[in-house]
Each structure stands twice: as C-alpha cells, then as structure tokens.
C-alpha cells in the first residue's frame, strides 16, 4: 500500500501530476513518440491521482529503518555505488540526479559532477521524457519496480538503453529516492513498462550481440595480421575529426562572410544560418537589433538604447516541408525576456545548455507551445553577435542529440562566428548608411522634376556608378532664362563631398547667372571665374532655348564637354561642335560655340562622358558610334523611351558594371498639333 499523505504533500503531488500530464500531451505529438509507452504512463498517472485522493487527511506513515546511518555504513554504501560495474543513478523524488557513478557518467559522455544536480530526464530524448517522468512518479508513490526503454543523449551519439527503476529509503533522508540502473539495448526498443520479461530478454540479447561483434572484429583483425584488443578506444580519433570539422566550418564561414558579393546584411545572415544548420545543428536562430535602432553609442555587452530590442531575423531548420512551415512560425516569435537568446543579448555572455530541460528556454509560440519541444531540441547553445562596440544580436543553435550534445568546442567556434558576423553586419550597415547619404546628397544636386516647357518635351536619366558609395560629380538642370529656357549638363572631376560642393556651385551658378546674362558663353565665363578658387575643374554644355517659328533655336556653349547630339525626325543624326576648355582652370576662359535649329520631331541630346567611356569585360569602350546607332534606332519613340533604350543598351554592354556615373538630358520639339 502506498504511504499516507498529508494535505501539503497532496498539493505537491497534484502540482507534479499537472506538470507531467502536460508534458505527456506534448510528447504524444512528437513524430517519433511511442504511443504505447505514453498510454501506459497516462494510466500510471490515473492510478497516482486516485491514490492521492484516497489519502487526503491521512497521516504519513513512517518508513522503517530511517535512523541515522553510521559513518562506516555510509562509506561502504558509497564505495559499492561508485565501483558498481553498471551505470547507476541515484534520484530524488522530483527526478533530480543526486549522485551517479563513473559508469553512468561514461554512458553520457561527461563527468559525474556535471550530471549531479540536473534533472534525470534532461539526459534523455524528448520522445521518452514524459513517459519516464510518469514512471518515476509511480515508483516513488507505489514502490513498484519497473523497466522502461530510454534513449540517452550520449557524448557523441544517442545510446539506447533499458532502465530499471526501484524505490529505496536512505537513512537520514526524509523522502524516498529512486535508484536507476541502465542496461544496454542494440536497437531502439518500444514496449510497455510492465513487460519485464521482454525487457530482460532484450538486455540479454543486446549483451550477447555486443560480445559476438567484438569477438568477430578481433578475429578479423588477427587474420589480417593486425594486433588489436576488443574494445579499443577510438575516442581520440573521433575528437581529432570533430576538431578538424569545426575548424573547417569556421574557415567556411570566414570565407563566405569576407566574400565581396556578401557585402549585404540580409545575404550574409542567411548564408551564415544555412551553413550552421547544415554543419553544426538541426536548427539555427539569428536575432539582430534593426539598423534604425542600432545607430548610436553603446557599451560592449549592452543594448545601444532603450528600445534596441533584438528581432528574429532568420530561422533555419531541416530541409523538408514540415520544417519550413515550422520555421515560418518561429520567425514570428521574437526573443522575449527570460528566454536564453534574450539573456545572452542582455548580458553579452555566451550560454551552453548541453542537456536542455526547460521547455520555455527558447520561448513559446502564439498558441502556447514551447519552441524547444516543437523543434525537438535537447541541446542548445547561444552566443552574442558583437560588432566590436556592442552586442547587436545572438546566434542560437538547437540540436536533437543525434551527434551528441553541444560541447565547449562548439561554443568556442560559434563565439568566433558571432564576432565575424557582427563585424560584417556593421560594415554592411555602414556601407548602406553611406550609400543612403550619398544618394540623398546626389538627389539634392539634381532637379526633382523637369519643368513643363510649351512646345517641347523633356526627359532625363541619371545612373550612378556600380562601385563605391561616394557622391558623383554629374549634374543637369532645366530652368528659365532672360530670353527663354536653359539646359545644362556637366561633370565635375572626382567624387565625394568635395566634388559635391563644386557640383552645387556649378549648377546653381549657371542657373543664377542666366537670369541676367543672355548668351551661354557669357554665363559660362562668369561661372568659370567663380570656380577658379576650387581645386577641381568642371566640363559642361549649356544650351539656350528660344522659340523660332514652329521649332526652336538652340545656342550652345561648350566647356570641354562631349558634343551635343541632334536626332532628326527622319533618323538622321548630327553632332554639334566641340571645343572650349573646362571651367575652373584658366582665367582667360573661352567657350566653344554652336547654333542649331530644331524642327518638329527633332531631338537634342546632352550626355556625360560616362556614356562613351563605359567598358565591357574586354575593356572596350561603348563609344560614340554605339550611342549614335542606339539613338537612331529609337528616333521615332517618345523621348523618355529613347533614353531608356540607351540606358538598357549601356548596361547590357558593360554587364551592369558601370565605373562612372551616367547622365543624359534630352529635349524634343513637339509637332504643331500637340503644341
């Protein structure tokens, strides 16, 4: 008969019962769950519930033999326990490991000190945890011995075993304990906890098979002339292979992150997660502080500011449909206070849970299910992602124990990967930030929209260079003048903030001087004088536009710039004169001049030298001939589509690799019916 329980003990029993039932419910949903074992465990829980109800208000019976043991007795018992030839675990009534012997530690591939104090079920795979907890509770309450199949998470790989559970009373201890004895099993076995004869046969068969296999290996080695001993330890070779593999992973991650095409935060993070999920773990979670929150100061190991909470960026798991669906669900679960990723992010300190037994360690899904249970992880590690100044995120790995729990070597490798990834993310964000600043500054040097001019149609194109984040020197503008309208397109020598300042001076100088100077040559001369104090020169072409009958007259002033192009309505092309010297070089400036008359359908095209000097992989330039051919081929198309055709042709020619900025500005005279 089970002992009587007082009300306080009953409440404790009920709380444990609720916890175990919930764990059984989760365990039943796992893909490799043993339905029979789960059912047996559920029946045991019902028996325990009935026993607890019957004993409410009863007196706890004493246990015989609870007087204090002598020191000699304790010493003898400890020696017998430690030197026993089979794995032994001494468990308290809540399933915590009080003590293990050397054989048990070797079974788990760890030390006796590491096992002590942890939950016994933490060293078992998820499919057997819930049934095992229920059977442990039954042994404590009823004293009935049982055998259960268990898959231990060994140091290198899972170990299938049959565990015998027996209740014992230890002198000096107020509560009963459980001794767990582990026996080997050659294959994963699934049977009821009450099938003791079958379990014994399985243990015996396993032992016989191991002996036969060892003898066969020894005989084979002797016949080959190789001296060997049964049970040769190959752990040294395995350790070396494990070390080499992890160094290969570290080298692959380093090479991948330093690869130039990965100078992109999203690409770098996803590639890193995929490599880790392939080589080190079944599941990888990477959480980062978004860039908009990460800007500003901060101390290493701390968030940068009050609202700099990490968000889930990437979740990678096994490559199957179910895992992909689960990854989408987990992507919506950001790290929450109290979870391992949050703790590591806040503290900046790495964490290793070689045998994870806390269901909420990685948080819960919106439906309340623990992420740790859903991914089947029994071992977890988490490292900070640092950019050299502060913690900007975490990398979390989850493993099922198929290749053993994570080790300190895994933790060390991942810590370095976290530092490398943090530096790449920092560089990518700095690069992107500078690109955004450059784009903003560049946009301020160009008109937001082109003006509407009666009788003509305007279009423009600006394409920045592929490489670099510095501001380009190209500019264009369309504006009113004293006698009509003006168009200007120019190119400042060099790039960067200094070039941008000169660009602004040239563009706004042309616009301002054109208010009271009539001829383009006079305007360019005044701007040249303003630029003499600058360290950079400017090439430009300025066109004055005045109505003339059904068309317009164009007066050109050229300052060392590629000549303007006229595309007639019938496809005939003419290039204007070239000449003049760049602005900002000499005091005695003299511009090149030309005058053109445009009829309805004619198009005036101004362009920078970036169009002509774009190169293909063979370093051949696009050149003026290709430009003229492309313009002629699209002469009848709208002016905006004409420039788009030139842009596509140019990018195709250089395979998208522009070494210089490209700008184009075009004006077409509309037919009288559309004026």
């Amino acid at each position: 008969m089970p002992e009587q329980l007082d009300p306080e003990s009953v409440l404790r029993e009920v709380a444990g019962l609720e916890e175990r039932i919930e764990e059984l419910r989760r365990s039943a949903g796992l893909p490799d769950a043993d339905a029979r074992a789960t059912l047996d465990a559920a029946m045991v829980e019902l028996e325990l519930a009935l026993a607890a109800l019957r004993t409410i208000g009863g007196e706890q019976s004493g246990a015989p033999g609870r007087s204090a043991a002598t020191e000699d007795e304790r010493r003898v018992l400890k020696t017998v326990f430690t030197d026993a030839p089979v794995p032994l675990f001494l468990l308290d009534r809540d399933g915590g490991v009080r003590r293990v012997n050397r054989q048990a530690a070797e079974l788990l591939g760890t030390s006796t000190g590491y096992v002590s104090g942890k939950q016994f079920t933490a060293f078992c795979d998820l499919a057997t945890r819930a049934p095992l907890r229920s059977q442990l509770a039954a042994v404590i309450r009823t004293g009935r011995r049982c055998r259960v199949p268990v898959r231990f998470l060994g140091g290198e790989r899972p170990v299938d075993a049959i565990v015998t559970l027996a209740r014992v009373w230890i002198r000096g201890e107020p509560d009963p304990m459980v001794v767990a004895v582990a026996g080997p099993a050659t294959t994963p076995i699934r049977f009821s906890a009450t099938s003791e004869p079958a379990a014994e046969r399985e243990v015996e068969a396993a032992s016989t098979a191991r002996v036969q296999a060892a003898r066969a290996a020894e005989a084979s080695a002797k016949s080959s002339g190789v001296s060997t001993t049964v049970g040769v330890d190959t752990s040294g070779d395995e350790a070396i292979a494990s070390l080499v593999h992890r160094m290969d992973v570290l080298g692959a991650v380093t090479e991948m992150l330093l690869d130039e095409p990965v100078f992109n935060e999203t690409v770098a993070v996803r590639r890193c997660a995929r490599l880790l999920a392939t080589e080190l773990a079944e599941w990888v979670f990477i959480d980062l502080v978004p860039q908009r929150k990460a800007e500003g100061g901060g101390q290493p190991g701390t968030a940068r500011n009050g609202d700099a909470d990490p968000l889930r960026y990437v979740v990678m798991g096994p490559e199957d449909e179910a895992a992909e669906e689960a990854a989408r669900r987990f992507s919506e679960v950001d790290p929450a206070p109290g979870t391992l990723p949050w703790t590591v992010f806040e503290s900046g300190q790495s964490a290793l849970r070689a045998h994870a037994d806390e269901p909420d360690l990685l948080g819960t899904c919106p439906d309340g299910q623990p992420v740790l249970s859903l991914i089947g992880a029994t071992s977890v590690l988490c490292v900070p992602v640092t950019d050299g100044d502060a913690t900007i995120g975490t990398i979390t790995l989850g493993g099922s124990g198929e290749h053993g729990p994570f080790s300190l070597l895994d933790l060390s490798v991942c810590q370095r990967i976290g530092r490398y990834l943090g530096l790449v993310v920092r560089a990518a964000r700095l690069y992107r930030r500078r690109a955004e600043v450059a784009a903003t500054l560049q946009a301020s040097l160009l008109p937001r929209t082109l003006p509407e001019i009666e009788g003509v149609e305007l279009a423009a194109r600006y394409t920045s260079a592929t490489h670099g984040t510095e501001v380009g020197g190209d500019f264009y503008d369309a504006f009113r003048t004293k006698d009509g309208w003006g168009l200007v397109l120019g190119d400042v020598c060099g790039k960067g903030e200094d070039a941008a300042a000169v660009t602004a001076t040239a563009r706004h100088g042309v616009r301002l001087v054109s208010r009271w100077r009539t001829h383009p040559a006079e305007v360019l001369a005044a701007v040249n004088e303003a630029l003499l104090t600058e360290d950079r020169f400017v090439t430009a072409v300025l066109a004055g536009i005045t109505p003339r009958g059904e068309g317009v007259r164009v007066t050109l002033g050229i300052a060392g710039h590629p000549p303007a192009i006229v595309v007639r309505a019938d496809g005939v092309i003419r290039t204007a004169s070239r000449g003049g010297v760049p602005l900002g070089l000499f005091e005695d400036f003299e511009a090149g001049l030309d005058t053109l008359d445009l009829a309805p359908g004619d198009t005036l095209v101004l362009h920078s030298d970036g169009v002509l000097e774009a190169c293909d992989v063979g370093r051949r330039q696009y050149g003026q001939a290709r430009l003229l051919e492309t313009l002629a081929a699209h002469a009848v198309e709208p002016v905006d589509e004409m420039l788009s055709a030139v842009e596509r042709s140019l990018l195709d020619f250089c395979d998208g690799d522009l070494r210089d900025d490209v700008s184009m500005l075009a004006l077409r005279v509309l037919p009288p019916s559309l004026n």
Side-chain angles (χ1 to χ4, degrees):
M1 290 293 294
E3 72 272 16
Q4 299 296 312
L5 298 180
D6 57 27
E8 181 178 353
S9 298
V10 170
L11 291 177
R12 185 174 60 183
E13 290 289 335
V14 171
L17 178 65
E18 291 176 344
E19 181 181 350
R20 294 193 301 273
I21 289 176
E22 179 60 28
E23 190 172 359
L24 279 173
R25 186 178 291 111
R26 292 197 300 266
S27 177
L30 294 174
D32 55 348
D34 185 348
R36 179 62 182 273
T38 303
L39 179 60
D40 290 340
M43 295 299 297
V44 168
E45 296 293 359
L46 286 175
E47 294 176 2
L48 293 179
L50 288 174
L53 289 174
R54 294 191 185 108
T55 56
I56 291 179
E59 296 296 331
Q60 181 174 356
S61 63
R66 291 201 199 179
S67 61
T70 66
E71 189 64 28
D72 289 340
E73 290 175 324
R74 290 182 178 274
R75 189 180 303 113
V76 171
L77 288 173
K78 181 178 179 181
T79 302
V80 171
F81 182 87
T82 302
D83 295 335
V86 294
L88 293 178
F89 301 81
L90 181 61
L91 314 178
D92 57 32
R93 68 177 300 143
D94 294 325
V97 179
R98 182 71 65 89
R99 183 182 297 276
V100 297
N101 66 354
R102 287 191 294 269
Q103 295 286 344
E106 291 176 2
L107 174 70
L108 300 177
T110 184
S111 65
T112 56
Y114 175 79
V115 180
S116 299
K118 294 181 172 57
Q119 285 292 311
F120 181 57
T121 54
F123 299 96
C124 310
D125 72 346
L126 291 179
T128 58
R129 285 186 183 181
L132 181 59
R133 282 171 57 87
S134 296
Q135 298 296 350
L136 279 171
V139 170
I140 285 289
R141 290 285 293 115
T142 66
R144 189 171 55 207
R145 183 177 303 180
C146 72
R147 290 185 175 89
V148 291
V150 171
R151 168 166 281 196
F152 285 111
L153 303 173
E156 296 295 333
R157 60 187 61 85
V159 178
D160 291 316
I162 298 172
V163 175
T164 301
L165 304 174
R167 188 180 70 177
V168 295
W169 289 97
I170 305 296
R171 291 181 180 182
E173 296 290 340
D175 294 321
M177 293 187 176
V178 173
V179 171
V181 184
T186 55
T187 58
I189 52 178
R190 303 182 184 278
F191 54 86
S192 167
T194 59
S195 58
E196 296 185 10
E200 292 172 350
R201 289 195 296 272
E202 179 66 29
V203 172
E204 183 179 359
S207 302
T208 303
R210 287 191 175 184
V211 172
Q212 292 175 346
R215 290 175 178 172
E218 183 179 15
S220 175
K222 288 182 177 179
S223 65
S224 303
V226 179
S227 177
T228 184
T229 303
V230 175
V232 172
D233 184 12
T234 61
S235 59
D237 293 338
E238 292 179 356
I240 293 175
S242 176
L243 177 62
V244 171
H245 172 66
R246 282 153 178 78
M247 291 302 101
D248 287 343
V249 172
L250 182 59
V253 170
T254 303
E255 182 179 355
M256 177 195 68
L257 293 178
L258 294 179
D259 191 17
E260 183 180 359
V262 187
F263 210 53
N264 177 290
E265 177 181 338
T266 302
V267 175
V269 171
R270 292 192 65 82
R271 288 187 179 180
C272 183
R274 173 51 61 198
L275 192 148
L276 290 174
T278 302
E279 299 294 340
L280 286 185
E282 283 85 1
W283 287 90
V284 177
F285 301 78
I286 297 183
D287 309 315
L288 293 174
V289 175
Q291 182 175 12
R292 65 181 181 273
K293 296 181 180 180
E295 295 167 358
Q299 296 297 322
T302 63
R304 292 180 181 270
N305 51 54
D307 63 345
D309 296 338
L311 302 179
R312 185 132 295 161
Y313 263 46
V314 174
V315 178
M316 290 284 182
E319 294 183 348
D320 58 65
E321 187 174 347
E324 291 176 359
E325 176 60 30
R328 283 191 288 271
R329 291 180 59 192
F330 302 149
S331 297
E332 301 174 358
V333 182
D334 293 325
T339 63
L340 188 63
W342 180 278
T343 302
V344 170
F345 173 76
E346 286 287 304
S347 66
Q349 301 297 318
S350 302
L352 172 62
R353 301 289 189 271
H355 297 86
D357 61 346
E358 305 167 51
D360 298 337
L361 192 65
L362 299 182
T364 57
C365 292
D367 58 3
Q369 298 188 67
V371 173
L372 189 70
S373 300
L374 290 175
I375 66 176
T378 57
S379 187
V380 176
L381 68 80
C382 185
V383 299
V385 177
T386 60
D387 65 0
D389 292 331
T391 299
I392 62 173
T394 59
I395 298 175
T396 306
L397 304 188
S400 65
E402 281 298 317
H403 303 287
F406 293 124
S407 64
L408 291 176
L409 178 60
D410 296 317
L411 187 69
S412 177
V413 169
C414 290
Q415 283 177 323
R416 185 161 296 185
I417 291 175
R419 290 195 294 270
Y420 292 166
L421 180 61
L423 292 175
V424 169
V425 170
R426 177 180 185 174
R429 290 180 174 181
L430 178 61
Y431 185 91
R432 186 168 64 190
R433 178 60 180 163
R434 292 189 63 180
E436 291 172 353
V437 171
T440 302
L441 182 55
Q442 185 72 64
S444 70
L445 301 176
L446 303 173
R448 293 186 178 180
T449 59
L450 294 173
E452 294 184 2
I453 303 176
E454 184 178 358
V456 301
E457 178 185 6
L458 287 178
R461 281 290 184 279
Y462 174 82
T463 307
S464 59
T466 306
H467 298 273
T469 60
E470 294 185 305
V471 184
D474 283 16
F475 67 93
Y476 63 82
D477 201 359
F479 49 88
R480 284 191 175 276
T481 65
K482 184 177 181 181
D483 298 329
W485 289 87
L487 303 180
V488 65
L489 188 144
D491 186 4
V492 177
C493 174
K495 293 179 178 294
E497 287 78 3
D498 293 341
V502 177
T503 300
T505 300
R507 177 197 168 194
H508 295 296
V510 168
R511 175 187 280 263
L512 181 62
V513 175
S514 296
R515 288 289 184 176
W516 70 84
R517 298 288 178 89
T518 304
H519 200 280
E522 296 175 345
V523 175
L524 292 177
V527 175
N528 175 74
E529 185 176 352
L531 294 176
L532 287 175
T533 58
E534 302 290 346
D535 294 331
R536 300 172 185 269
F537 64 86
V538 181
T539 66
V541 56
L542 175 61
I545 310 297
T546 55
R548 186 179 176 87
E550 294 183 349
V552 298
R553 168 158 288 186
V554 179
T555 305
L556 295 173
I558 305 103
H561 200 80
I565 300 173
V566 175
V567 183
R568 301 295 183 186
D570 56 6
V572 175
I573 292 183
R574 175 199 164 182
T575 58
S577 301
R578 65 176 66 238
V581 295
L583 304 172
L585 287 180
F586 308 107
E587 292 184 7
D588 54 343
F589 172 80
E590 186 175 349
L593 303 174
D594 201 352
T595 301
L596 307 171
D597 288 321
L598 302 183
D602 293 347
T603 305
L604 175 71
V605 179
L606 310 179
H607 63 86
S608 65
D609 59 4
V611 177
L612 305 179
E613 296 174 359
C615 296
D616 64 6
V617 293
R619 309 310 300 165
R620 294 177 302 169
Q621 292 189 343
Y622 188 75
Q624 189 175 46
R626 285 188 178 85
L627 175 59
L628 298 181
E629 290 174 3
T630 305
L631 291 172
H634 298 83
V636 299
E637 296 180 4
V639 64
D640 186 69
E641 294 183 14
M642 175 188 284
L643 295 187
S644 295
V646 174
E647 185 179 43
R648 289 194 302 270
S649 173
L650 188 64
L651 292 174
D652 290 342
F653 177 79
C654 66
D655 197 24
D657 185 17
L658 284 176
R659 298 290 174 171
D660 194 8
D661 300 333
V662 168
S663 56
M664 296 179 285
L665 180 61
L667 176 148
R668 175 174 294 173
V669 180
L670 297 175
S673 60
L674 298 179
N675 287 348

